[in-house]
Amino acid sequence: MTALSTEEQAVVDTVRTFVDREVRPVVRELEHSDTYPEALVERMKELGVFGLAVPEPWGEAPVSMPCYAQVTAELARGWMSLAGAMGGHTVVAKLLVAFGTRAQQDRWLPAMATGEVRATMALTEPGGGSDLQAMRTVARRDGGQWVVDGAKTWITNSRRSQLIALLCRTDPDAQPRHRGVSVLLVEHGPGLTVSKDLPKLGYKGVESCELVFDGFRAPADAVLGGEEGRGFAQMMTGLETGRIQVAARAVGVAQAAFDDALRYAQERESFGRPIWQHQSVGNLLADMATSLTAARQLVLYAAERYETGRRCDLEAGMAKLFASETAMRVALDAIRVHGGHGYSTEFDVERYFRDAPLMIVGEGTNEIQRDVIARQLVARGGLG
Ligand SMILES: Cc1cc2nc3c(=O)[nH]c(=O)nc-3n(C[C@H](O)[C@H](O)[C@H](O)COP(=O)(O)OP(=O)(O)OC[C@H]3O[C@@H](n4cnc5c(N)ncnc54)[C@H](O)[C@@H]3O)c2cc1C
């Protein structure tokens, strides 16, 4: 595993200190009141977190994917919702860098680097998120503009994001269907309604919403890269980043759950000794630490593969699958270690247990990840 450069390690350390000093002391209150973390997001802007994927000349401090994954894990260790506030944003920044026209890059990336403009991506529809090619949101040409009709759901940060990367059909008759899909870069305006904030098990504080497009008009140059029909392939590339990000979030949540369990197991006593000395509890801690370490290595492996510029959907899929299932199991085991306190909202472990399932479902469910992994194994002739 390659070590981070001194500069990148300093970025991770800065975020770690921010999490310990400024996030962990306030997270329980924000979580239980479901409050948008305005002040923490402002601090993330100051720390440059929203610009981590934006290179010169639009930004200042782009970092490697392994560094980005570690920053994400640190944020999620404090509060998974904070990592969520910059997840879709980074995917959109990377899409713009990789595929945007120069005009699109100049327009959006400088303000995205500072966090003044925040971005989200809108893929999922009420009819389904796994089968993206069956999407029904359509953009039709009308004079010099696009007219969009349809609905998206579960779109995180969409009320507060100024830029939405909208996956939609620009040629509903195209065969194969993915050739008729484009990404439109759209802003809030007439014809776009944020119709509902969806109530959630966890992932509190940040909003996940339904969006309705009804005769919404976007300019002709809103198509990412300027050429229609490339959106599906563009978004699949973006999802490699998204899946590494979600996997890193899972590592952060699992780390927090393990840390709390290890501490509690040394403080709590039963039968005259700290509970970690009971073999069953010690075994839980050993297994938690082992899977957490394996998950972290898998995420860094995927991040390093990404950095080589080669296709990494197999690696990102494996990282997302394993890290999210690990986070779920470690969060449950942290509850076991805490006994009754683990079920109390006065402790943090119940939050990890509510946050962990999102990483199993989001950014392509784990069933879909297995499908991606199996297809790639066959296509590559094995692990290679
Ligand atoms: C809190 C939250 C935030 C989200 N944020 C965003 C966001 O910002 N932007 C966005 O676009 N989306 C977002 N999503 C949506 C998320 O990506 C989808 O929920 C996810 O992709 C699954 O889609 P679905 O819910 O429609 O499930 P479905 O596609 O209906 O799947 C239902 C079940 O069927 C299984 N299934 C479906 N097809 C197959 C198959 N071919 N093989 C095996 N199993 C299959 C699935 O694995 C799942 O178990 C968010 C979701 C949540 C819960």
Side-chain angles (χ1 to χ4, degrees), residues 34-102:
D34 199 3
T35 303
Y36 184 75
E38 201 80 61
L40 295 179
V41 168
E42 284 306 312
R43 285 286 293 130
M44 285 163 63
K45 286 186 196 172
E46 287 166 21
L47 294 173
V49 166
F50 292 99
L52 291 178
V54 184
E56 285 181 337
W58 309 286
E60 281 175 11
V63 297
S64 67
M65 190 55 91
C67 176
Y68 173 70
Q70 290 182 49
V71 166
T72 301
E74 280 303 321
L75 288 171
R77 183 176 64 82
W79 193 17
M80 201 273 284
S81 300
L82 291 184
M86 49 82 97
H89 176 89
T90 309
V91 173
V92 179
K94 285 200 172 271
L95 285 176
L96 275 162
V97 171
F99 305 113
T101 63
R102 182 67 196 215

Side-chain angles (χ1 to χ4, degrees), residues 150-351:
K152 294 285 174 182
T153 193
W154 283 116
I155 309 309
T156 302
N157 301 309
S158 52
R159 195 180 280 286
R160 290 180 176 83
S161 288
Q162 295 84 351
L163 172 61
I164 301 170
L166 173 70
L167 196 70
C168 60
R169 289 190 180 291
T170 43
D171 180 0
D173 302 322
Q175 286 299 334
R177 290 184 298 176
H178 65 83
R179 292 237 174 92
V181 172
S182 302
V183 173
L184 254 56
L185 302 168
V186 306
E187 298 170 81
H188 288 275
L192 168 53
T193 311
V194 182
S195 52
K196 189 177 178 187
D197 284 55
L198 296 157
K200 294 178 283 194
L201 173 68
Y203 202 27
K204 303 281 186 186
V206 295
E207 76 281 11
S208 300
C209 309
E210 272 180 12
L211 303 179
V212 176
F213 295 86
D214 182 9
F216 173 82
R217 286 184 173 268
D221 62 2
V223 175
L224 177 67
E227 198 178 327
E228 291 165 49
R230 301 194 168 237
F232 197 79
Q234 291 168 340
M235 201 50 98
M236 288 305 111
T237 308
L239 286 182
E240 291 182 349
T241 302
R243 287 171 183 166
I244 293 171
Q245 211 263 355
V246 166
R249 283 195 223 177
V251 166
V253 170
Q255 178 75 57
F258 170 72
D259 289 345
D260 288 9
L262 182 64
R263 190 168 48 245
Y264 189 81
Q266 293 169 83
E267 289 164 6
R268 182 78 167 178
E269 293 190 356
S270 78
F271 298 90
R273 45 188 172 144
I275 58 170
W276 74 266
Q277 290 183 8
H278 301 302
Q279 193 174 31
S280 299
V281 177
N283 284 352
L284 281 178
L285 294 171
D287 287 349
M288 290 160 89
T290 305
S291 354
L292 168 58
T293 303
R296 188 186 304 282
Q297 296 304 314
L298 211 42
V299 173
L300 291 174
Y301 170 67
E304 288 187 353
R305 166 90 181 193
Y306 178 98
E307 211 51 28
T308 66
R310 284 180 294 169
R311 184 172 178 157
C312 71
D313 50 357
L314 170 73
E315 292 76 7
M318 291 197 305
K320 194 269 192 191
L321 168 63
F322 187 78
S324 59
E325 298 291 348
T326 295
M328 191 71 248
R329 205 169 44 251
V330 170
L332 175 58
D333 286 349
I335 290 181
R336 292 185 214 275
V337 171
H338 280 73
H341 286 144
Y343 204 63
S344 164
T345 53
E346 289 176 354
F347 285 72
D348 289 320
V349 283
E350 62 83 30
R351 184 179 80 247

Side-chain angles (χ1 to χ4, degrees), residues 120-124 128-130 153-156 200 203 208 358 361-365 367-368:
T120 188
M121 50 180 191
L123 285 64
T124 307
S130 301
T153 193
W154 283 116
I155 309 309
T156 302
K200 294 178 283 194
Y203 202 27
S208 300
L358 174 61
V361 168
E363 218 79 7
T365 65
E367 290 71 38
I368 296 297

